[in-house]
Amino acid sequence: MSSQKRKQVILGAYLGGVNHHTAWWDPQAGSQIEFDSFEHTARTAERGKFDFFFLAEGLALRERAGQIFDQDIIGRPDTFTVLASLAAVTEHLGLAGTINATFNEPYELARQFATLDQLSGGRAAWNVVTSFDAFTGQNFRRGGYLDRAQRYERAEETVALVRELWDSWRSEDIVADKASGRFLARPDAGEFAFHGSHFDVNGRFTVPRSPQGRPVILQAGVSPQGRDFAAGNADAIFSPYGQLPEAADFYRDIKARAVAAGRDPGDIKILPSASFVLGTSEADAIEKYRDIRDQQVTGQTALVLLEQIWNLDLSKYDPEGPLPDIAPDPEAPPIIQGRAFIHQDRFATVAKLRAVAESKKLNLREVVIDQFERGPIVGTPQQVAEKIDSFVGNDGSDGFILGSHLVPTGLDEFVDDVVPLLQDRGVHRSDYEGTTLRDNLGLPIPVQREHVTAR
């Protein structure tokens, strides 16, 4: 047997919500907003030696035809409040929050994440996202809408300025020598100046150097522009691919872009999200999965998902019948507001769906299941452990961000039954390696920059 250490599996945990995948109707389901749910998931993840707990974010209540979109779980408590509370009930688990770069000011973002990093002892992470629609921007003072190029331009400048602020303090700046009465090592600690196309600011940052140098940066990017931004700026990137070989192609592409940006490819981690279904046998797991899936993709859910493509009211169509026989209307006012719209050619997408329905003999709801649902990792605990190990070992990713359809207790089964098998395989830790999130992810402490001013 080789003595070479096997590739380790990074594990993140998310608490489901704000989509139809969360089985809120299940008798065992709990709240998506009560602290007990967040605490239970985080404590379970830490018991399983996960790297971090992850929170998504929704900034607007979704609408369908002008009415609150009751198909999904709506609302989400403030990210920083939840993560700061979880810092008090965990010791090692990273705390990752999704915060929008389109609507928030860099100084405020830098201060909030630096504070979370101080309170948690170096466990904070920021998932940088941008906003694509004016509907969400209506909740903000300036409207907030930016076209695609400007969104990434502002996001890149936001990240650069936030890092400038984090780097404005050195780790040795606070002397706090009681005998001499000297507190600061230099009088200009925290001073910054930044001059860019979106921000022109200067002053003094209020939070000293982070315990891990800087909080970890997470990002998602699929387009060429998004991939370049993530490869140049992120410590980890969320992959949309859960199947080989496209996942491995994405993995290689991001690592190559990181090298082109002057980075070590090992300093950026690739992490797809995934759910799981466990059974006593493969057949049992598949049966459970089908039952869960049929509850998640109801007829109403299938129609609403297709309304995003057609951009028309499809409520008169039978979910168990054929696909709508009408053409989409891209020019009509959006029937669905506040969720990810389709960016592909609507007509080409409809043609593809009709071809799938014809070739596989599927009705409307079955087409949605076939084309929209990213299947979970299904099998016995042994099979799921093997699939995760094999996927990561074959460079489909560096790990997974795992969640369950059942909040908040769904992760318990994975930690109890799958984690020990991953540990036996030598691909998941039995204890935490360090005290910070960077320690546990195997990421270096960033080199501190000296008051870089944006061009």
Side-chain angles (χ1 to χ4, degrees), residues 58-86:
L59 293 176
L61 295 184
R62 307 163 197 239
E63 292 182 4
R64 180 192 175 279
Q67 300 297 315
I68 290 179
F69 189 73
D70 64 357
Q71 194 83 356
D72 290 353
I73 307 301
I74 57 175
R76 171 74 77 182
D78 176 70
T79 296
F80 287 108
T81 307
V82 173
L83 295 182
S85 300
L86 292 178

PDB file of all heavy atoms in Angstrom, residues 58-86:
ATOM      1  N   GLY A  58     -31.127  35.570   0.584  1.00  0.00           N
ATOM      2  CA  GLY A  58     -32.152  36.085  -0.312  1.00  0.00           C
ATOM      3  C   GLY A  58     -32.500  37.497   0.109  1.00  0.00           C
ATOM      4  O   GLY A  58     -32.840  37.731   1.274  1.00  0.00           O
ATOM      5  N   LEU A  59     -32.408  38.447  -0.812  1.00  0.00           N
ATOM      6  CA  LEU A  59     -32.600  39.856  -0.460  1.00  0.00           C
ATOM      7  C   LEU A  59     -33.990  40.387  -0.815  1.00  0.00           C
ATOM      8  O   LEU A  59     -34.289  41.530  -0.528  1.00  0.00           O
ATOM      9  CB  LEU A  59     -31.544  40.717  -1.167  1.00  0.00           C
ATOM     10  CG  LEU A  59     -30.100  40.494  -0.697  1.00  0.00           C
ATOM     11  CD1 LEU A  59     -29.151  41.343  -1.538  1.00  0.00           C
ATOM     12  CD2 LEU A  59     -29.948  40.832   0.773  1.00  0.00           C
ATOM     13  N   ALA A  60     -34.806  39.554  -1.460  1.00  0.00           N
ATOM     14  CA  ALA A  60     -36.152  39.992  -1.822  1.00  0.00           C
ATOM     15  C   ALA A  60     -37.089  38.794  -1.753  1.00  0.00           C
ATOM     16  O   ALA A  60     -36.693  37.665  -2.041  1.00  0.00           O
ATOM     17  CB  ALA A  60     -36.164  40.585  -3.232  1.00  0.00           C
ATOM     18  N   LEU A  61     -38.334  39.048  -1.357  1.00  0.00           N
ATOM     19  CA  LEU A  61     -39.336  37.989  -1.392  1.00  0.00           C
ATOM     20  C   LEU A  61     -39.754  37.761  -2.833  1.00  0.00           C
ATOM     21  O   LEU A  61     -40.095  38.696  -3.557  1.00  0.00           O
ATOM     22  CB  LEU A  61     -40.556  38.380  -0.550  1.00  0.00           C
ATOM     23  CG  LEU A  61     -40.311  38.537   0.955  1.00  0.00           C
ATOM     24  CD1 LEU A  61     -41.629  38.824   1.658  1.00  0.00           C
ATOM     25  CD2 LEU A  61     -39.666  37.296   1.535  1.00  0.00           C
ATOM     26  N   ARG A  62     -39.737  36.535  -3.262  1.00  0.00           N
ATOM     27  CA  ARG A  62     -40.045  36.212  -4.643  1.00  0.00           C
ATOM     28  C   ARG A  62     -41.520  36.443  -4.947  1.00  0.00           C
ATOM     29  O   ARG A  62     -42.368  36.295  -4.083  1.00  0.00           O
ATOM     30  CB  ARG A  62     -39.660  34.760  -4.937  1.00  0.00           C
ATOM     31  CG  ARG A  62     -38.227  34.442  -4.570  1.00  0.00           C
ATOM     32  CD  ARG A  62     -38.036  32.938  -4.486  1.00  0.00           C
ATOM     33  NE  ARG A  62     -36.802  32.628  -3.762  1.00  0.00           N
ATOM     34  CZ  ARG A  62     -35.801  31.931  -4.275  1.00  0.00           C
ATOM     35  NH1 ARG A  62     -35.871  31.462  -5.496  1.00  0.00           N
ATOM     36  NH2 ARG A  62     -34.727  31.687  -3.565  1.00  0.00           N
ATOM     37  N   GLU A  63     -41.770  36.760  -6.193  1.00  0.00           N
ATOM     38  CA  GLU A  63     -43.147  37.015  -6.614  1.00  0.00           C
ATOM     39  C   GLU A  63     -43.472  36.225  -7.878  1.00  0.00           C
ATOM     40  O   GLU A  63     -42.612  35.988  -8.719  1.00  0.00           O
ATOM     41  CB  GLU A  63     -43.361  38.511  -6.904  1.00  0.00           C
ATOM     42  CG  GLU A  63     -43.288  39.394  -5.669  1.00  0.00           C
ATOM     43  CD  GLU A  63     -43.565  40.854  -5.994  1.00  0.00           C
ATOM     44  OE1 GLU A  63     -43.891  41.146  -7.173  1.00  0.00           O
ATOM     45  OE2 GLU A  63     -43.452  41.699  -5.092  1.00  0.00           O
ATOM     46  N   ARG A  64     -44.742  35.845  -7.976  1.00  0.00           N
ATOM     47  CA  ARG A  64     -45.278  35.275  -9.212  1.00  0.00           C
ATOM     48  C   ARG A  64     -46.525  36.069  -9.580  1.00  0.00           C
ATOM     49  O   ARG A  64     -47.470  36.147  -8.796  1.00  0.00           O
ATOM     50  CB  ARG A  64     -45.651  33.806  -9.043  1.00  0.00           C
ATOM     51  CG  ARG A  64     -46.218  33.196 -10.312  1.00  0.00           C
ATOM     52  CD  ARG A  64     -46.861  31.848 -10.085  1.00  0.00           C
ATOM     53  NE  ARG A  64     -47.488  31.381 -11.325  1.00  0.00           N
ATOM     54  CZ  ARG A  64     -48.686  31.781 -11.756  1.00  0.00           C
ATOM     55  NH1 ARG A  64     -49.411  32.642 -11.050  1.00  0.00           N
ATOM     56  NH2 ARG A  64     -49.167  31.322 -12.899  1.00  0.00           N
ATOM     57  N   ALA A  65     -46.471  36.694 -10.742  1.00  0.00           N
ATOM     58  CA  ALA A  65     -47.589  37.521 -11.214  1.00  0.00           C
ATOM     59  C   ALA A  65     -47.982  38.575 -10.183  1.00  0.00           C
ATOM     60  O   ALA A  65     -49.158  38.838  -9.950  1.00  0.00           O
ATOM     61  CB  ALA A  65     -48.788  36.651 -11.587  1.00  0.00           C
ATOM     62  N   GLY A  66     -46.972  39.150  -9.533  1.00  0.00           N
ATOM     63  CA  GLY A  66     -47.199  40.236  -8.587  1.00  0.00           C
ATOM     64  C   GLY A  66     -47.583  39.819  -7.191  1.00  0.00           C
ATOM     65  O   GLY A  66     -47.781  40.668  -6.318  1.00  0.00           O
ATOM     66  N   GLN A  67     -47.690  38.516  -6.932  1.00  0.00           N
ATOM     67  CA  GLN A  67     -48.050  38.022  -5.607  1.00  0.00           C
ATOM     68  C   GLN A  67     -46.857  37.297  -4.982  1.00  0.00           C
ATOM     69  O   GLN A  67     -46.024  36.718  -5.687  1.00  0.00           O
ATOM     70  CB  GLN A  67     -49.238  37.051  -5.705  1.00  0.00           C
ATOM     71  CG  GLN A  67     -50.481  37.666  -6.300  1.00  0.00           C
ATOM     72  CD  GLN A  67     -51.030  38.807  -5.456  1.00  0.00           C
ATOM     73  OE1 GLN A  67     -51.128  38.701  -4.242  1.00  0.00           O
ATOM     74  NE2 GLN A  67     -51.387  39.904  -6.124  1.00  0.00           N
ATOM     75  N   ILE A  68     -46.777  37.317  -3.648  1.00  0.00           N
ATOM     76  CA  ILE A  68     -45.689  36.620  -2.959  1.00  0.00           C
ATOM     77  C   ILE A  68     -45.663  35.172  -3.398  1.00  0.00           C
ATOM     78  O   ILE A  68     -46.684  34.492  -3.443  1.00  0.00           O
ATOM     79  CB  ILE A  68     -45.849  36.731  -1.433  1.00  0.00           C
ATOM     80  CG1 ILE A  68     -45.572  38.166  -0.974  1.00  0.00           C
ATOM     81  CG2 ILE A  68     -44.878  35.776  -0.722  1.00  0.00           C
ATOM     82  CD1 ILE A  68     -45.740  38.372   0.504  1.00  0.00           C
ATOM     83  N   PHE A  69     -44.480  34.720  -3.718  1.00  0.00           N
ATOM     84  CA  PHE A  69     -44.262  33.398  -4.292  1.00  0.00           C
ATOM     85  C   PHE A  69     -44.247  32.361  -3.173  1.00  0.00           C
ATOM     86  O   PHE A  69     -43.225  32.111  -2.545  1.00  0.00           O
ATOM     87  CB  PHE A  69     -42.930  33.439  -5.037  1.00  0.00           C
ATOM     88  CG  PHE A  69     -42.637  32.230  -5.860  1.00  0.00           C
ATOM     89  CD1 PHE A  69     -43.309  31.998  -7.038  1.00  0.00           C
ATOM     90  CD2 PHE A  69     -41.653  31.338  -5.487  1.00  0.00           C
ATOM     91  CE1 PHE A  69     -43.017  30.909  -7.823  1.00  0.00           C
ATOM     92  CE2 PHE A  69     -41.349  30.240  -6.258  1.00  0.00           C
ATOM     93  CZ  PHE A  69     -42.033  30.022  -7.426  1.00  0.00           C
ATOM     94  N   ASP A  70     -45.407  31.737  -2.909  1.00  0.00           N
ATOM     95  CA  ASP A  70     -45.511  30.843  -1.757  1.00  0.00           C
ATOM     96  C   ASP A  70     -45.007  29.439  -2.043  1.00  0.00           C
ATOM     97  O   ASP A  70     -45.109  28.552  -1.209  1.00  0.00           O
ATOM     98  CB  ASP A  70     -46.955  30.793  -1.239  1.00  0.00           C
ATOM     99  CG  ASP A  70     -47.927  30.195  -2.248  1.00  0.00           C
ATOM    100  OD1 ASP A  70     -47.503  29.872  -3.369  1.00  0.00           O
ATOM    101  OD2 ASP A  70     -49.106  30.065  -1.910  1.00  0.00           O
ATOM    102  N   GLN A  71     -44.432  29.236  -3.234  1.00  0.00           N
ATOM    103  CA  GLN A  71     -43.891  27.931  -3.576  1.00  0.00           C
ATOM    104  C   GLN A  71     -42.636  27.613  -2.750  1.00  0.00           C
ATOM    105  O   GLN A  71     -42.361  26.464  -2.444  1.00  0.00           O
ATOM    106  CB  GLN A  71     -43.523  27.920  -5.058  1.00  0.00           C
ATOM    107  CG  GLN A  71     -43.264  26.543  -5.645  1.00  0.00           C
ATOM    108  CD  GLN A  71     -44.559  25.865  -6.035  1.00  0.00           C
ATOM    109  OE1 GLN A  71     -45.625  26.404  -5.788  1.00  0.00           O
ATOM    110  NE2 GLN A  71     -44.465  24.692  -6.626  1.00  0.00           N
ATOM    111  N   ASP A  72     -41.875  28.641  -2.423  1.00  0.00           N
ATOM    112  CA  ASP A  72     -40.598  28.471  -1.738  1.00  0.00           C
ATOM    113  C   ASP A  72     -40.708  28.898  -0.277  1.00  0.00           C
ATOM    114  O   ASP A  72     -41.636  29.584   0.134  1.00  0.00           O
ATOM    115  CB  ASP A  72     -39.514  29.322  -2.384  1.00  0.00           C
ATOM    116  CG  ASP A  72     -39.114  28.819  -3.753  1.00  0.00           C
ATOM    117  OD1 ASP A  72     -39.586  27.734  -4.135  1.00  0.00           O
ATOM    118  OD2 ASP A  72     -38.353  29.505  -4.433  1.00  0.00           O
ATOM    119  N   ILE A  73     -39.692  28.506   0.484  1.00  0.00           N
ATOM    120  CA  ILE A  73     -39.534  29.070   1.821  1.00  0.00           C
ATOM    121  C   ILE A  73     -39.076  30.506   1.636  1.00  0.00           C
ATOM    122  O   ILE A  73     -38.095  30.764   0.949  1.00  0.00           O
ATOM    123  CB  ILE A  73     -38.474  28.303   2.637  1.00  0.00           C
ATOM    124  CG1 ILE A  73     -38.792  26.812   2.650  1.00  0.00           C
ATOM    125  CG2 ILE A  73     -38.372  28.847   4.045  1.00  0.00           C
ATOM    126  CD1 ILE A  73     -40.123  26.456   3.228  1.00  0.00           C
ATOM    127  N   ILE A  74     -39.774  31.450   2.225  1.00  0.00           N
ATOM    128  CA  ILE A  74     -39.431  32.848   1.976  1.00  0.00           C
ATOM    129  C   ILE A  74     -38.802  33.459   3.215  1.00  0.00           C
ATOM    130  O   ILE A  74     -39.145  33.134   4.347  1.00  0.00           O
ATOM    131  CB  ILE A  74     -40.665  33.668   1.545  1.00  0.00           C
ATOM    132  CG1 ILE A  74     -41.772  33.590   2.594  1.00  0.00           C
ATOM    133  CG2 ILE A  74     -41.182  33.212   0.203  1.00  0.00           C
ATOM    134  CD1 ILE A  74     -42.954  34.472   2.300  1.00  0.00           C
ATOM    135  N   GLY A  75     -37.846  34.359   2.958  1.00  0.00           N
ATOM    136  CA  GLY A  75     -37.210  35.072   4.051  1.00  0.00           C
ATOM    137  C   GLY A  75     -35.959  34.368   4.547  1.00  0.00           C
ATOM    138  O   GLY A  75     -35.785  33.168   4.402  1.00  0.00           O
ATOM    139  N   ARG A  76     -35.080  35.145   5.114  1.00  0.00           N
ATOM    140  CA  ARG A  76     -33.833  34.635   5.671  1.00  0.00           C
ATOM    141  C   ARG A  76     -33.342  35.653   6.691  1.00  0.00           C
ATOM    142  O   ARG A  76     -33.251  36.834   6.399  1.00  0.00           O
ATOM    143  CB  ARG A  76     -32.807  34.477   4.559  1.00  0.00           C
ATOM    144  CG  ARG A  76     -31.410  34.171   5.030  1.00  0.00           C
ATOM    145  CD  ARG A  76     -31.275  32.741   5.522  1.00  0.00           C
ATOM    146  NE  ARG A  76     -31.208  31.804   4.417  1.00  0.00           N
ATOM    147  CZ  ARG A  76     -31.129  30.497   4.583  1.00  0.00           C
ATOM    148  NH1 ARG A  76     -31.161  29.980   5.781  1.00  0.00           N
ATOM    149  NH2 ARG A  76     -31.067  29.694   3.548  1.00  0.00           N
ATOM    150  N   PRO A  77     -33.051  35.217   7.923  1.00  0.00           N
ATOM    151  CA  PRO A  77     -32.531  36.166   8.906  1.00  0.00           C
ATOM    152  C   PRO A  77     -31.195  36.755   8.444  1.00  0.00           C
ATOM    153  O   PRO A  77     -30.535  36.222   7.545  1.00  0.00           O
ATOM    154  CB  PRO A  77     -32.345  35.302  10.157  1.00  0.00           C
ATOM    155  CG  PRO A  77     -33.209  34.115   9.947  1.00  0.00           C
ATOM    156  CD  PRO A  77     -33.236  33.882   8.472  1.00  0.00           C
ATOM    157  N   ASP A  78     -30.799  37.843   9.065  1.00  0.00           N
ATOM    158  CA  ASP A  78     -29.549  38.501   8.712  1.00  0.00           C
ATOM    159  C   ASP A  78     -28.360  37.561   8.901  1.00  0.00           C
ATOM    160  O   ASP A  78     -28.192  36.932   9.951  1.00  0.00           O
ATOM    161  CB  ASP A  78     -29.354  39.747   9.583  1.00  0.00           C
ATOM    162  CG  ASP A  78     -28.026  40.413   9.321  1.00  0.00           C
ATOM    163  OD1 ASP A  78     -27.854  40.983   8.241  1.00  0.00           O
ATOM    164  OD2 ASP A  78     -27.146  40.330  10.206  1.00  0.00           O
ATOM    165  N   THR A  79     -27.523  37.469   7.883  1.00  0.00           N
ATOM    166  CA  THR A  79     -26.411  36.524   7.870  1.00  0.00           C
ATOM    167  C   THR A  79     -25.440  36.754   9.016  1.00  0.00           C
ATOM    168  O   THR A  79     -25.029  35.806   9.704  1.00  0.00           O
ATOM    169  CB  THR A  79     -25.666  36.628   6.529  1.00  0.00           C
ATOM    170  OG1 THR A  79     -26.553  36.234   5.482  1.00  0.00           O
ATOM    171  CG2 THR A  79     -24.434  35.734   6.510  1.00  0.00           C
ATOM    172  N   PHE A  80     -25.020  37.988   9.223  1.00  0.00           N
ATOM    173  CA  PHE A  80     -24.002  38.256  10.244  1.00  0.00           C
ATOM    174  C   PHE A  80     -24.504  37.936  11.648  1.00  0.00           C
ATOM    175  O   PHE A  80     -23.758  37.423  12.484  1.00  0.00           O
ATOM    176  CB  PHE A  80     -23.545  39.716  10.176  1.00  0.00           C
ATOM    177  CG  PHE A  80     -22.676  40.011   8.988  1.00  0.00           C
ATOM    178  CD1 PHE A  80     -23.148  40.760   7.935  1.00  0.00           C
ATOM    179  CD2 PHE A  80     -21.384  39.512   8.924  1.00  0.00           C
ATOM    180  CE1 PHE A  80     -22.354  41.028   6.837  1.00  0.00           C
ATOM    181  CE2 PHE A  80     -20.570  39.766   7.827  1.00  0.00           C
ATOM    182  CZ  PHE A  80     -21.059  40.526   6.781  1.00  0.00           C
ATOM    183  N   THR A  81     -25.766  38.208  11.904  1.00  0.00           N
ATOM    184  CA  THR A  81     -26.331  37.906  13.223  1.00  0.00           C
ATOM    185  C   THR A  81     -26.325  36.404  13.481  1.00  0.00           C
ATOM    186  O   THR A  81     -25.943  35.945  14.564  1.00  0.00           O
ATOM    187  CB  THR A  81     -27.761  38.449  13.325  1.00  0.00           C
ATOM    188  OG1 THR A  81     -27.777  39.829  12.990  1.00  0.00           O
ATOM    189  CG2 THR A  81     -28.308  38.265  14.736  1.00  0.00           C
ATOM    190  N   VAL A  82     -26.725  35.632  12.473  1.00  0.00           N
ATOM    191  CA  VAL A  82     -26.747  34.172  12.622  1.00  0.00           C
ATOM    192  C   VAL A  82     -25.336  33.631  12.823  1.00  0.00           C
ATOM    193  O   VAL A  82     -25.082  32.835  13.734  1.00  0.00           O
ATOM    194  CB  VAL A  82     -27.402  33.506  11.397  1.00  0.00           C
ATOM    195  CG1 VAL A  82     -27.262  31.986  11.473  1.00  0.00           C
ATOM    196  CG2 VAL A  82     -28.875  33.893  11.300  1.00  0.00           C
ATOM    197  N   LEU A  83     -24.397  34.046  11.977  1.00  0.00           N
ATOM    198  CA  LEU A  83     -23.040  33.501  12.064  1.00  0.00           C
ATOM    199  C   LEU A  83     -22.334  33.919  13.352  1.00  0.00           C
ATOM    200  O   LEU A  83     -21.596  33.121  13.951  1.00  0.00           O
ATOM    201  CB  LEU A  83     -22.227  33.933  10.845  1.00  0.00           C
ATOM    202  CG  LEU A  83     -22.699  33.381   9.500  1.00  0.00           C
ATOM    203  CD1 LEU A  83     -21.775  33.837   8.378  1.00  0.00           C
ATOM    204  CD2 LEU A  83     -22.786  31.859   9.526  1.00  0.00           C
ATOM    205  N   ALA A  84     -22.556  35.142  13.796  1.00  0.00           N
ATOM    206  CA  ALA A  84     -21.954  35.570  15.060  1.00  0.00           C
ATOM    207  C   ALA A  84     -22.519  34.759  16.224  1.00  0.00           C
ATOM    208  O   ALA A  84     -21.787  34.402  17.159  1.00  0.00           O
ATOM    209  CB  ALA A  84     -22.197  37.063  15.286  1.00  0.00           C
ATOM    210  N   SER A  85     -23.791  34.435  16.154  1.00  0.00           N
ATOM    211  CA  SER A  85     -24.392  33.604  17.197  1.00  0.00           C
ATOM    212  C   SER A  85     -23.807  32.195  17.168  1.00  0.00           C
ATOM    213  O   SER A  85     -23.542  31.597  18.216  1.00  0.00           O
ATOM    214  CB  SER A  85     -25.914  33.546  17.017  1.00  0.00           C
ATOM    215  OG  SER A  85     -26.490  34.832  17.093  1.00  0.00           O
ATOM    216  N   LEU A  86     -23.579  31.665  15.973  1.00  0.00           N
ATOM    217  CA  LEU A  86     -23.010  30.319  15.853  1.00  0.00           C
ATOM    218  C   LEU A  86     -21.555  30.289  16.309  1.00  0.00           C
ATOM    219  O   LEU A  86     -21.069  29.245  16.749  1.00  0.00           O
ATOM    220  CB  LEU A  86     -23.119  29.827  14.412  1.00  0.00           C
ATOM    221  CG  LEU A  86     -24.525  29.544  13.899  1.00  0.00           C
ATOM    222  CD1 LEU A  86     -24.486  29.110  12.438  1.00  0.00           C
ATOM    223  CD2 LEU A  86     -25.211  28.477  14.754  1.00  0.00           C
TER     224      LEU A  86
END
